Amino acid sequence: MNMHLSQDQADTLQELTNIAMGQAGSSLAQILNVFVELSIPQIRVVEAGKILPAIAAMIPEHEQVTAVRQAFYNRDQLRGEAISIFTQAGCSELATCMGYDSELAPREEQELLLDVSNILSGAVLNGLAQQLATDLGYSAPSIMAEQCSIDKVITPENMTWNYALMVGIDFGIENKTFKCHQLILMAEESIKVLAQALDHFLESF
């Protein structure tokens, strides 16, 4: 099985992701009434043993993070996980933007991050699905790791694949330290399904 996307497929996925993340950023901006900054999406196929260094490169060293995961799937065996990684400093700023005037209790902070992750993941994935003319189902978002270093988020124990397609997106808030590092991971069997969907998209023009 080919584990990689062609250049045309990768370029198309990046452009479709740009459009989808713009929709996600717009949704977050409306809720927070702020300007949301977006990165250029990073797309690559990564070996299991190299996924942690790839993710760690996105996070400042020694930064404490909380991660939220949400699985997605469709009838054509396109499946994977969306993981939203929030820095601890950014969590406090997010609460302020949401109108909280005091420090959140742990449960309140969890609920806030689950809600924001659901908004961003849902908007990005739905945007991609609509452009690729498919439907996705989702699991409920759940806390994957809380207030820990990034090496506690992605561990060998929770990687059951040899290769994965990784789409990396950063959301920020203007003049704030808030960052949400969002990853979309799809394992080997889904890369081929995605490649076929991208080919169908390209053939439609």
Side-chain angles (χ1 to χ4, degrees):
M1 180 187 300
N2 182 14
M3 297 299 173
H4 298 277
L5 299 179
S6 70
Q7 190 61 55
D8 283 347
Q9 290 167 342
D11 289 345
T12 300
L13 179 58
Q14 185 175 61
E15 182 57 35
L16 297 183
T17 303
N18 260 324
I19 294 169
M21 66 187 285
Q23 295 169 348
S26 177
S27 297
L28 184 61
Q30 289 177 13
I31 293 171
L32 301 180
N33 195 29
V34 296
F35 181 77
V36 174
E37 300 172 330
L38 308 173
S39 69
I40 297 173
Q42 299 180 31
I43 297 170
R44 60 182 124 167
V45 174
V46 185
E47 294 179 34
K50 296 179 180 178
I51 187 71
L52 179 56
I55 295 174
M58 302 169 58
I59 312 295
E61 191 175 3
H62 307 308
E63 186 77 67
Q64 295 289 293
V65 300
T66 294
V68 178
R69 75 193 310 169
Q70 188 168 17
F72 61 90
Y73 49 88
N74 78 349
R75 61 182 179 273
D76 298 319
Q77 301 303 307
L78 179 66
R79 59 185 67 245
E81 285 198 355
I83 301 174
S84 301
I85 302 172
F86 300 90
T87 61
Q88 194 54 41
C91 292
S92 299
E93 289 190 337
L94 181 62
T96 300
C97 290
M98 292 289 285
Y100 293 93
D101 55 8
S102 60
E103 186 175 347
L104 297 183
R107 183 58 187 169
E108 290 176 319
E109 183 174 288
Q110 287 181 355
E111 291 175 352
L112 176 60
L113 296 184
L114 288 169
D115 287 343
V116 171
S117 177
N118 194 39
I119 291 167
L120 294 178
S121 296
V124 170
L125 292 170
N126 281 332
L128 284 172
Q130 288 171 6
Q131 293 176 92
L132 294 173
T134 189
D135 295 315
L136 291 176
Y138 304 93
S139 68
S142 61
I143 299 294
M144 182 179 184
E146 192 170 15
Q147 297 185 20
C148 63
S149 58
I150 190 62
D151 61 332
K152 300 297 192 298
V153 176
I154 304 294
T155 65
E157 290 75 22
N158 56 29
M159 289 186 291
T160 59
W161 33 264
N162 296 315
Y163 291 87
L165 176 70
M166 184 175 82
V167 180
I169 304 167
D170 284 350
F171 294 93
I173 295 176
E174 187 178 34
N175 299 321
K176 301 288 185 182
T177 61
F178 168 83
K179 289 286 184 186
C180 175
H181 308 280
Q182 188 169 72
L183 302 172
I184 299 173
L185 297 173
M186 285 176 270
E188 296 101 327
E189 62 272 13
S190 291
I191 297 175
K192 183 177 181 180
V193 176
L194 177 63
Q196 291 172 340
L198 291 168
D199 284 341
H200 289 318
F201 177 84
L202 289 168
E203 290 166 0
S204 67
F205 290 95

mmCIF file of all heavy atoms in Angstrom, residues 40-63:
data_model
loop_
_atom_site.group_PDB
_atom_site.id
_atom_site.type_symbol
_atom_site.label_atom_id
_atom_site.label_comp_id
_atom_site.label_asym_id
_atom_site.label_seq_id
_atom_site.Cartn_x
_atom_site.Cartn_y
_atom_site.Cartn_z
ATOM 1 N N ILE A 40 -0.172 28.230 8.308
ATOM 2 C CA ILE A 40 -0.247 27.416 7.099
ATOM 3 C C ILE A 40 -0.282 25.957 7.536
ATOM 4 O O ILE A 40 0.557 25.533 8.335
ATOM 5 C CB ILE A 40 0.963 27.667 6.187
ATOM 6 C CG1 ILE A 40 0.978 29.115 5.715
ATOM 7 C CG2 ILE A 40 0.960 26.711 4.996
ATOM 8 C CD1 ILE A 40 2.222 29.504 4.960
ATOM 9 N N PRO A 41 -1.237 25.167 7.082
ATOM 10 C CA PRO A 41 -1.299 23.764 7.534
ATOM 11 C C PRO A 41 -0.077 22.976 7.087
ATOM 12 O O PRO A 41 0.412 23.132 5.969
ATOM 13 C CB PRO A 41 -2.580 23.231 6.882
ATOM 14 C CG PRO A 41 -2.890 24.179 5.777
ATOM 15 C CD PRO A 41 -2.344 25.502 6.168
ATOM 16 N N GLN A 42 0.431 22.153 7.998
ATOM 17 C CA GLN A 42 1.554 21.267 7.702
ATOM 18 C C GLN A 42 1.007 19.863 7.431
ATOM 19 O O GLN A 42 0.237 19.338 8.239
ATOM 20 C CB GLN A 42 2.535 21.227 8.870
ATOM 21 C CG GLN A 42 3.143 22.576 9.210
ATOM 22 C CD GLN A 42 4.106 22.475 10.376
ATOM 23 O OE1 GLN A 42 4.754 21.454 10.576
ATOM 24 N NE2 GLN A 42 4.202 23.535 11.149
ATOM 25 N N ILE A 43 1.425 19.283 6.332
ATOM 26 C CA ILE A 43 0.910 17.968 5.944
ATOM 27 C C ILE A 43 2.082 17.053 5.663
ATOM 28 O O ILE A 43 2.952 17.383 4.852
ATOM 29 C CB ILE A 43 0.011 18.083 4.700
ATOM 30 C CG1 ILE A 43 -1.218 18.945 5.026
ATOM 31 C CG2 ILE A 43 -0.429 16.704 4.217
ATOM 32 C CD1 ILE A 43 -2.048 19.317 3.828
ATOM 33 N N ARG A 44 2.111 15.910 6.335
ATOM 34 C CA ARG A 44 3.184 14.948 6.089
ATOM 35 C C ARG A 44 2.775 13.561 6.557
ATOM 36 O O ARG A 44 1.915 13.424 7.433
ATOM 37 C CB ARG A 44 4.465 15.367 6.784
ATOM 38 C CG ARG A 44 4.359 15.483 8.287
ATOM 39 C CD ARG A 44 5.669 15.949 8.876
ATOM 40 N NE ARG A 44 5.502 17.145 9.664
ATOM 41 C CZ ARG A 44 6.423 17.627 10.494
ATOM 42 N NH1 ARG A 44 7.570 17.024 10.599
ATOM 43 N NH2 ARG A 44 6.208 18.704 11.184
ATOM 44 N N VAL A 45 3.409 12.558 5.980
ATOM 45 C CA VAL A 45 3.249 11.185 6.443
ATOM 46 C C VAL A 45 4.407 10.893 7.389
ATOM 47 O O VAL A 45 5.571 11.116 7.052
ATOM 48 C CB VAL A 45 3.240 10.193 5.270
ATOM 49 C CG1 VAL A 45 3.216 8.753 5.783
ATOM 50 C CG2 VAL A 45 2.025 10.451 4.374
ATOM 51 N N VAL A 46 4.080 10.411 8.590
ATOM 52 C CA VAL A 46 5.069 10.254 9.657
ATOM 53 C C VAL A 46 5.091 8.816 10.144
ATOM 54 O O VAL A 46 4.032 8.201 10.341
ATOM 55 C CB VAL A 46 4.738 11.192 10.843
ATOM 56 C CG1 VAL A 46 5.823 11.134 11.896
ATOM 57 C CG2 VAL A 46 4.546 12.620 10.359
ATOM 58 N N GLU A 47 6.279 8.282 10.349
ATOM 59 C CA GLU A 47 6.409 6.974 10.983
ATOM 60 C C GLU A 47 6.035 7.093 12.452
ATOM 61 O O GLU A 47 6.214 8.143 13.071
ATOM 62 C CB GLU A 47 7.845 6.471 10.868
ATOM 63 C CG GLU A 47 8.296 6.170 9.457
ATOM 64 C CD GLU A 47 9.743 5.697 9.433
ATOM 65 O OE1 GLU A 47 10.151 5.018 10.391
ATOM 66 O OE2 GLU A 47 10.443 6.011 8.461
ATOM 67 N N ALA A 48 5.524 5.992 13.014
ATOM 68 C CA ALA A 48 5.069 6.016 14.403
ATOM 69 C C ALA A 48 6.158 6.497 15.351
ATOM 70 O O ALA A 48 5.911 7.290 16.256
ATOM 71 C CB ALA A 48 4.580 4.628 14.824
ATOM 72 N N GLY A 49 7.387 6.052 15.129
ATOM 73 C CA GLY A 49 8.476 6.418 16.025
ATOM 74 C C GLY A 49 8.884 7.871 15.945
ATOM 75 O O GLY A 49 9.611 8.367 16.807
ATOM 76 N N LYS A 50 8.408 8.581 14.908
ATOM 77 C CA LYS A 50 8.806 9.975 14.718
ATOM 78 C C LYS A 50 7.667 10.953 14.992
ATOM 79 O O LYS A 50 7.832 12.161 14.824
ATOM 80 C CB LYS A 50 9.326 10.181 13.291
ATOM 81 C CG LYS A 50 10.589 9.381 12.995
ATOM 82 C CD LYS A 50 11.066 9.597 11.575
ATOM 83 C CE LYS A 50 12.333 8.787 11.291
ATOM 84 N NZ LYS A 50 12.789 8.951 9.886
ATOM 85 N N ILE A 51 6.509 10.428 15.411
ATOM 86 C CA ILE A 51 5.366 11.301 15.617
ATOM 87 C C ILE A 51 5.584 12.236 16.799
ATOM 88 O O ILE A 51 5.248 13.422 16.734
ATOM 89 C CB ILE A 51 4.069 10.473 15.799
ATOM 90 C CG1 ILE A 51 2.842 11.394 15.835
ATOM 91 C CG2 ILE A 51 4.117 9.620 17.055
ATOM 92 C CD1 ILE A 51 2.495 12.013 14.528
ATOM 93 N N LEU A 52 6.163 11.737 17.895
ATOM 94 C CA LEU A 52 6.366 12.595 19.060
ATOM 95 C C LEU A 52 7.310 13.750 18.756
ATOM 96 O O LEU A 52 6.983 14.902 19.066
ATOM 97 C CB LEU A 52 6.866 11.781 20.255
ATOM 98 C CG LEU A 52 7.138 12.589 21.525
ATOM 99 C CD1 LEU A 52 5.904 13.375 21.954
ATOM 100 C CD2 LEU A 52 7.596 11.670 22.658
ATOM 101 N N PRO A 53 8.499 13.516 18.142
ATOM 102 C CA PRO A 53 9.348 14.663 17.796
ATOM 103 C C PRO A 53 8.657 15.660 16.868
ATOM 104 O O PRO A 53 8.846 16.871 16.996
ATOM 105 C CB PRO A 53 10.553 14.011 17.104
ATOM 106 C CG PRO A 53 10.594 12.623 17.643
ATOM 107 C CD PRO A 53 9.169 12.233 17.839
ATOM 108 N N ALA A 54 7.834 15.145 15.946
ATOM 109 C CA ALA A 54 7.132 16.034 15.025
ATOM 110 C C ALA A 54 6.147 16.927 15.767
ATOM 111 O O ALA A 54 6.021 18.122 15.478
ATOM 112 C CB ALA A 54 6.406 15.214 13.958
ATOM 113 N N ILE A 55 5.444 16.358 16.743
ATOM 114 C CA ILE A 55 4.481 17.138 17.520
ATOM 115 C C ILE A 55 5.208 18.049 18.511
ATOM 116 O O ILE A 55 4.842 19.218 18.687
ATOM 117 C CB ILE A 55 3.506 16.207 18.258
ATOM 118 C CG1 ILE A 55 2.654 15.433 17.236
ATOM 119 C CG2 ILE A 55 2.607 16.992 19.204
ATOM 120 C CD1 ILE A 55 1.769 14.383 17.847
ATOM 121 N N ALA A 56 6.246 17.536 19.140
ATOM 122 C CA ALA A 56 6.987 18.318 20.130
ATOM 123 C C ALA A 56 7.593 19.575 19.511
ATOM 124 O O ALA A 56 7.749 20.599 20.190
ATOM 125 C CB ALA A 56 8.079 17.467 20.760
ATOM 126 N N ALA A 57 7.910 19.523 18.219
ATOM 127 C CA ALA A 57 8.491 20.691 17.547
ATOM 128 C C ALA A 57 7.496 21.845 17.476
ATOM 129 O O ALA A 57 7.891 23.004 17.288
ATOM 130 C CB ALA A 57 8.944 20.304 16.141
ATOM 131 N N MET A 58 6.200 21.550 17.649
ATOM 132 C CA MET A 58 5.169 22.584 17.593
ATOM 133 C C MET A 58 4.964 23.263 18.942
ATOM 134 O O MET A 58 4.346 24.330 19.010
ATOM 135 C CB MET A 58 3.835 21.965 17.153
ATOM 136 C CG MET A 58 3.862 21.270 15.807
ATOM 137 S SD MET A 58 2.337 20.313 15.525
ATOM 138 C CE MET A 58 1.091 21.586 15.677
ATOM 139 N N ILE A 59 5.443 22.641 20.029
ATOM 140 C CA ILE A 59 5.132 23.094 21.376
ATOM 141 C C ILE A 59 6.391 23.669 22.025
ATOM 142 O O ILE A 59 7.445 23.045 21.981
ATOM 143 C CB ILE A 59 4.615 21.922 22.243
ATOM 144 C CG1 ILE A 59 3.530 21.136 21.505
ATOM 145 C CG2 ILE A 59 4.122 22.422 23.589
ATOM 146 C CD1 ILE A 59 2.277 21.901 21.236
ATOM 147 N N PRO A 60 6.314 24.853 22.665
ATOM 148 C CA PRO A 60 7.482 25.385 23.364
ATOM 149 C C PRO A 60 7.989 24.399 24.411
ATOM 150 O O PRO A 60 7.207 23.717 25.074
ATOM 151 C CB PRO A 60 6.940 26.659 24.031
ATOM 152 C CG PRO A 60 5.773 27.059 23.186
ATOM 153 C CD PRO A 60 5.171 25.778 22.703
ATOM 154 N N GLU A 61 9.308 24.309 24.545
ATOM 155 C CA GLU A 61 9.915 23.367 25.476
ATOM 156 C C GLU A 61 9.430 23.619 26.900
ATOM 157 O O GLU A 61 9.314 24.760 27.343
ATOM 158 C CB GLU A 61 11.434 23.493 25.412
ATOM 159 C CG GLU A 61 12.171 22.385 26.140
ATOM 160 C CD GLU A 61 13.681 22.473 25.953
ATOM 161 O OE1 GLU A 61 14.143 23.434 25.305
ATOM 162 O OE2 GLU A 61 14.366 21.580 26.460
ATOM 163 N N HIS A 62 9.145 22.561 27.621
ATOM 164 C CA HIS A 62 8.695 22.582 29.022
ATOM 165 C C HIS A 62 7.293 23.168 29.205
ATOM 166 O O HIS A 62 6.867 23.402 30.331
ATOM 167 C CB HIS A 62 9.683 23.333 29.918
ATOM 168 C CG HIS A 62 11.090 22.850 29.806
ATOM 169 N ND1 HIS A 62 11.433 21.521 29.943
ATOM 170 C CD2 HIS A 62 12.245 23.518 29.540
ATOM 171 C CE1 HIS A 62 12.740 21.392 29.788
ATOM 172 N NE2 HIS A 62 13.252 22.572 29.537
ATOM 173 N N GLU A 63 6.582 23.415 28.120
ATOM 174 C CA GLU A 63 5.223 23.957 28.220
ATOM 175 C C GLU A 63 4.272 22.878 28.712
ATOM 176 O O GLU A 63 4.303 21.738 28.251
ATOM 177 C CB GLU A 63 4.767 24.451 26.854
ATOM 178 C CG GLU A 63 3.429 25.166 26.862
ATOM 179 C CD GLU A 63 3.538 26.578 27.390
ATOM 180 O OE1 GLU A 63 4.165 27.419 26.734
ATOM 181 O OE2 GLU A 63 2.982 26.823 28.479
#
